[in-house]
Amino acid sequence: QSNNPHLAQVYAIVLQLNGKTKQAVSIYEQLYRMDPTDQELTERMVALYREVGNLEQALTLLDELSKQE
């Protein structure tokens, strides 16, 4: 894992594009804990959670996102 959040996010995107969604989710969750105000990251996570069928977690993130606005 990289200490560079941008690089870690790029890696997560590559994992997601290659069907390694569980690994991508893990990285996204680590990045989210580091910066829960990153709207782009949150939107990517919502899309990924929807993709894997975790709608409850997607809704939770959307709720958090709406509280930030």
Side-chain angles (χ1 to χ4, degrees):
Q1 297 272 345
S2 171
N3 290 330
N4 180 333
H6 177 73
L7 190 59
Q9 189 167 352
V10 170
Y11 182 59
I13 292 167
V14 170
L15 288 171
Q16 182 180 356
L17 292 173
N18 284 287
K20 298 183 183 213
T21 51
K22 287 184 181 181
Q23 290 172 287
V25 166
S26 177
I27 293 171
Y28 279 129
E29 288 174 344
Q30 290 174 28
L31 290 169
Y32 183 79
R33 284 191 292 274
M34 291 169 44
D35 184 7
T37 64
D38 185 333
Q39 185 171 347
E40 180 182 338
L41 173 66
T42 304
E43 290 170 357
R44 287 185 186 277
M45 289 180 67
V46 167
L48 185 59
Y49 282 136
R50 287 180 58 213
E51 183 179 317
V52 298
N54 190 344
L55 299 181
E56 184 176 326
Q57 193 63 34
L59 287 172
T60 299
L61 284 178
L62 287 171
D63 286 342
E64 289 298 318
L65 191 60
S66 68
K67 291 176 187 175
Q68 293 173 17
E69 294 178 351

